[in-house]
Amino acid sequence: MIPSCLRGTVLAFRPILALLSPQPSKARLQSKWRSLVHISSLHGMVNPAQFREMARINQRKMASHIVGYPRMGPKRELKFALESFWDGKSSAEDLEKVATDLRSSIWKQMSEAGIKYIPSNTFSYYDQVLDTTAMLGAVPERYSWTGGEIGLSTYFSMARGNATVPAMEMTKWFDTNYHFIVPELGPRTKFSYASHKAVSEYKEAKALGIDTVPVLIGPVSYLLLSKPAKGVEKSFSLLSLLGSILPIYKEVVAELKAAGASWIQFDEPTLVKDLDAHELAAFSSAYAELESAVSGLNVLIETYFADIPAESYKTLTSLSGVTAYGFDLIRGAKTLDLIRSSFPSGKYLFAGVVDGRNIWADDLAASLSTLQSLEVVAGKDKLVVSTSCSLMHTAVDLVNETKLDDEIKSWLAFAAQKVVEVNALAKALAGQKDEAYFAANAAALASRKSSPRVTNEEVQKAAAALKGSDHRRATNVSARLDAQQKKLNLPILPTTTIGSFPQTVELRRVRREYKAKKISEEEYVSAIKEEISKVVKIQEELDIDVLVHGEPERNDMVEYFGEQLSGFAFTANGWVQSYGSRCVKPPIIYGDVSRPNPMTVFWSKTAQSMTSRPMKGMLTGPVTILNWSFVRNDQPRFETCYQIALAIKKEVEDLEAAGIQVIQIDEAALREGLPLRKSEHAFYLDWAVHSFRITNCGVQDTTQIHTHMCYSNFNDIIHSIIDMDADVITIENSRSDEKLLSVFREGVKYGAGIGPGVYDIHSPRIPTTEEIADRINKMLAVLDTNILWVNPDCGLKTRKYTEVKPALTNMVSATKLIRTQLASAK
């Protein structure tokens, strides 16, 4: 039998492809293409002899490359192993066994599929940037690391914090929903070669008979993604540490060479950002310094996520000792012009033509045409077919989606299928084009383009009509806050939480059994009401001012809404890593979006009926729904966002009509979607902020509109946040070491309500009353008392009640302490 990790690869496709006639009808091609993505039902029919023959056919590997691959596993095996280890239910050896099995299956999958350049060291227990921090021994002093090889205890303390010290800052990885752990560096940072993971994993793959390309975060990108450690001047030049870390990179390279590596991949994604001359010069000096160390190795510099600016392209293609350059030609289509105008002779071009960030089947004919045009530039023997970026940003394997709609399924390709696409393109480029496979792909694309379920003319007209107005509320925020205070009668420094409460095992069981129709709707509603009642009672006992219902009915803040909107499809196992063990299952937006029925009104009314305190209606905003979904690629993103905004607008108005006085419209991902190039910021922020205003432009002055944002750098878009015109914004602040407050120290005036988070909910650590009080006082130094709210950084879904209750108790106690101090100071 084919191992589960190989199902869905080209090996399994061969028996079906052989059935296709040379010139089948369009309808038959569409039917056959759908059968390809249902290949899991046939995997047991391939006996070992057939499998060996298939592998022999694919033994000659074409010029194909994968930038990186999902590491959680097709059924989130790593997630469950990590959480079991963190809970003390399993050993480090148990965790390592799961990790070893996953790495082995991934490497074997790519090898058997015919991929020539297979990456290693892209697996991680938590984050690849944290892995680099471990490799360099750049452990902040507070973790009391004494040297040697960094173990799991220190590693996870940096990632998650522990009982005595907080975690390192976590922020978004470029413009994705993945989060990385931000290195904390300074002039006193002591570097040492403290994690041999890259070499160990290369040897591990080699022992399986698979020669891989070890992947390292490049030295310059590592420093540019870092921040000055606490106590270090913000003006400190992180690039001044280049000379301190390059010796360790040299050690790693030397060990990889000794182990037999012939290629090495340095990921330098910061090259796609706007860099100054000093930053670009750092790349030249770094790789000049590494040149002798990498002698005898083929060196690939990989970039991704955007076009590479002309000056950066010039710098990149002039670097010493570099053999190959990798480019994202999906989100960086303009890079094609640079390549065609000037590409260095004798160098390899790794062309990222298969989208690593979305789940739509590749347009193989178009990609092949692009590749053929690049052959003329780079040379036939120097062109390598690749993914646009790591496949970790897409779901793992379509084969696991046994319940997904057949027609929609035929339009998709997950990571395993993208590996097949890369190999098919490489073979076609080498003169071994699989005509049947390409024809079936073309038929699937035609099916999607012509499907009536994609287009809703009424929705398109409504969205088009939005362009004539900026959709602002009629009254300014100061007047609205006065009207709301008269109605809500809140104390100074009102306390609230962000929305979700812990999702217990029992709660997940109830939702799972209801979905499987093992319990009735009546039983389900009763169980959810009971949970809401518990959450309301806890908040009242804690004396929190503005309550939430805890969201027990919701599986995910985006998926929950998508399930009730038209134009969305859903997977069973389409999980994507967000951070650590946290995975999300992005909905698929395949068509025009509308709201057939109210989505949250019943539960919000139910919760409000249980208390006399204000109960927030909880919604996810249109920009976040967009940025946390796999979005259709057949129309501009802003058009889809406007459609979602109209759907949320109807929900807001229904909540208001139902008597909900405070409505929160989360835009956690607004900053995430900001383009990497400054020249593109204004256009994005214009339609993103407009989309948010559309949702609530029609409510009364007395209805208080909140929004929430988290885990990004917001300082550079603070004026756009103000332009959103929300009445109150709650925003992550504590995990980023109160970076947000600096913008107010610099003189930015904010007149709406604001709640910078007072403690990090992504760490199990419980903050003390004194610690929270200190944070509130720091906020009061730059914000007016009458606009400040007190709340955690983010929702409490991932925490346990044993952590939540004492943390919130301390939060309320700290708030009351400060209120008393303010009252006595009058």
Side-chain angles (χ1 to χ4, degrees), residues 38 164 194 361 435 548 587:
H38 281 293
T164 58
E435 297 290 352
V548 298

Side-chain angles (χ1 to χ4, degrees), residues 215-231:
V215 178
L216 301 175
I217 299 290
V220 183
S221 287
Y222 176 77
L223 293 176
L224 291 177
L225 292 167
S226 302
K227 71 172 187 176
K230 195 167 186 177

Side-chain angles (χ1 to χ4, degrees), residues 60-186:
R60 184 187 168 205
K61 293 179 170 59
M62 303 301 167
S64 53
H65 168 250
I66 305 297
V67 176
Y69 200 83
R71 51 219 185 197
M72 279 292 126
K75 298 289 180 67
R76 295 182 291 164
E77 292 85 348
L78 181 60
K79 168 189 172 65
F80 299 121
L82 282 167
E83 291 173 358
S84 176
F85 174 71
W86 292 336
D87 288 342
K89 297 176 182 176
S90 59
S91 66
E93 291 73 22
D94 295 329
L95 175 60
E96 289 164 5
K97 174 68 166 59
V98 172
T100 300
D101 290 347
L102 282 172
R103 288 193 295 267
S104 173
S105 70
I106 291 166
W107 292 327
K108 287 178 180 178
Q109 172 188 356
M110 285 190 264
S111 179
E112 297 292 356
I115 301 300
K116 184 174 183 178
Y117 301 106
I118 298 170
S120 61
N121 198 40
T122 55
F123 177 88
S124 178
Y125 282 120
Y126 206 95
D127 165 53
Q128 68 268 20
V129 180
L130 182 61
D131 292 347
T132 309
T133 295
M135 181 185 83
L136 298 171
V139 181
E141 291 181 3
R142 65 181 177 275
Y143 299 106
S144 303
W145 176 64
T146 55
E149 188 81 3
I150 288 177
L152 291 179
S153 176
T154 300
Y155 180 86
F156 287 132
S157 290
M158 289 192 288
R160 307 176 69 238
N162 58 42
T164 58
V165 292
M168 295 170 69
E169 180 184 350
M170 180 172 71
T171 196
K172 295 293 176 70
W173 177 245
F174 293 81
D175 58 348
T176 74
N177 187 31
Y178 178 76
H179 303 67
F180 74 97
I181 303 298
V182 182
E184 302 172 12
L185 308 177

Side-chain angles (χ1 to χ4, degrees), residues 44 52 85 118 279 323 384 387 405 437 478 505 567 641 647 664 706:
R52 286 192 295 272
F85 174 71
I118 298 170
E279 291 165 332
T323 315
V384 179
T387 53
D405 177 280
Y437 183 77
S478 177
V505 172
C641 198
Q664 182 169 306
H706 289 222

Side-chain angles (χ1 to χ4, degrees), residues 205-385:
K206 194 171 183 181
L208 297 171
I210 301 171
D211 189 32
T212 60
V213 179
V215 178
L216 301 175
I217 299 290
V220 183
S221 287
Y222 176 77
L223 293 176
L224 291 177
L225 292 167
S226 302
K227 71 172 187 176
K230 195 167 186 177
V232 175
E233 290 293 327
K234 300 302 180 186
S235 59
F236 173 72
S237 172
L238 293 160
L239 289 176
S240 68
L241 299 173
L242 198 54
S244 300
I245 68 172
L246 286 176
I248 298 167
Y249 275 88
K250 290 179 182 179
E251 286 188 72
V252 179
V253 169
E255 288 193 7
L256 288 169
K257 284 170 68 174
S262 58
W263 279 82
I264 187 167
Q265 175 178 318
F266 290 104
D267 281 6
E268 293 281 13
T270 55
L271 276 164
V272 305
K273 301 184 81 173
D274 296 308
L275 302 178
D276 60 32
H278 174 64
E279 291 165 332
L280 288 174
F283 286 93
S284 298
S285 61
Y287 286 93
E289 178 69 21
L290 288 173
E291 185 175 9
S292 60
V294 299
S295 177
L297 278 175
N298 290 296
V299 175
L300 165 63
I301 306 294
E302 186 66 49
T303 68
Y304 37 77
F305 296 150
D307 285 301
I308 184 167
E311 282 302 309
S312 298
Y313 179 81
K314 183 179 178 181
T315 298
L316 171 62
T317 53
S318 303
L319 294 179
S320 304
V322 175
T323 315
Y325 315 102
F327 300 104
D328 181 338
L329 300 181
I330 300 296
R331 290 181 176 239
K334 294 177 185 175
T335 302
L336 280 168
D337 295 333
L338 294 173
I339 295 170
R340 287 167 176 153
S341 65
S342 173
F343 189 77
S345 176
K347 302 293 186 180
Y348 285 86
L349 170 59
F350 281 60
V353 294
V354 173
D355 193 348
R357 288 183 60 175
N358 217 326
I359 42 67
W360 303 108
D362 188 64
D363 185 338
L364 295 177
S367 293
L368 183 58
S369 176
T370 298
L371 291 165
Q372 288 168 336
S373 72
L374 292 173
E375 266 190 332
V376 179
V377 177
K380 196 173 184 70
D381 61 336
K382 298 295 183 182
L383 182 61
V384 179
V385 183

Side-chain angles (χ1 to χ4, degrees), residues 361-553:
D362 188 64
D363 185 338
L364 295 177
S367 293
L368 183 58
S369 176
T370 298
L371 291 165
Q372 288 168 336
S373 72
L374 292 173
E375 266 190 332
V376 179
V377 177
K380 196 173 184 70
D381 61 336
K382 298 295 183 182
L383 182 61
V384 179
V385 183
S386 185
T387 53
S388 65
C389 62
S390 172
L391 296 176
M392 67 178 285
H393 305 291
T394 191
V396 180
D397 196 340
L398 194 56
V399 160
N400 296 316
E401 302 306 324
T402 56
K403 296 181 180 179
L404 193 61
D405 177 280
D406 283 358
E407 182 183 28
I408 293 174
K409 192 172 182 180
S410 73
W411 304 339
L412 308 179
F414 290 179
Q417 289 69 46
K418 290 176 186 293
V419 169
V420 176
E421 290 178 335
V422 167
N423 190 57
L425 287 166
K427 293 184 76 172
L429 205 59
Q432 299 181 33
K433 183 179 179 182
D434 190 327
E435 297 290 352
Y437 183 77
F438 271 69
N441 169 262
L445 296 177
S447 162
R448 181 182 168 205
K449 188 174 182 179
S450 62
S451 176
R453 65 198 302 183
V454 171
T455 305
N456 182 324
E457 289 187 13
E458 184 179 338
V459 170
Q460 291 193 348
K461 287 178 181 176
L466 294 171
K467 297 171 185 176
S469 170
D470 63 2
H471 296 90
R472 293 183 183 275
R473 292 172 76 177
T475 311
N476 66 45
V477 68
S478 177
R480 297 198 308 263
L481 288 174
D482 286 344
Q484 292 155 15
Q485 178 59 16
K486 288 175 184 176
K487 192 167 186 179
L488 298 172
N489 193 30
L490 297 173
I492 61 167
L493 308 180
T495 54
T496 190
T497 64
I498 303 306
S500 60
F501 263 62
Q503 297 262 322
T504 63
V505 172
E506 174 63 19
L507 186 55
R508 294 177 191 275
R509 181 193 64 77
V510 168
R511 286 205 309 266
R512 188 170 58 248
E513 289 186 353
Y514 177 61
K515 195 169 186 178
K517 299 183 177 171
K518 292 182 179 179
I519 61 174
S520 67
E521 182 174 0
E522 184 179 353
E523 290 172 308
Y524 169 74
V525 170
S526 175
I528 298 299
K529 282 184 176 180
E530 185 177 339
E531 182 70 18
I532 292 172
S533 177
K534 180 179 81 172
V535 169
V536 169
K537 185 177 180 183
I538 288 171
Q539 292 173 93
E540 288 185 327
E541 289 173 350
L542 291 170
D543 203 17
I544 290 174
D545 300 304
V546 177
L547 310 189
V548 298
H549 76 290
E551 305 176 11
E553 78 283 10

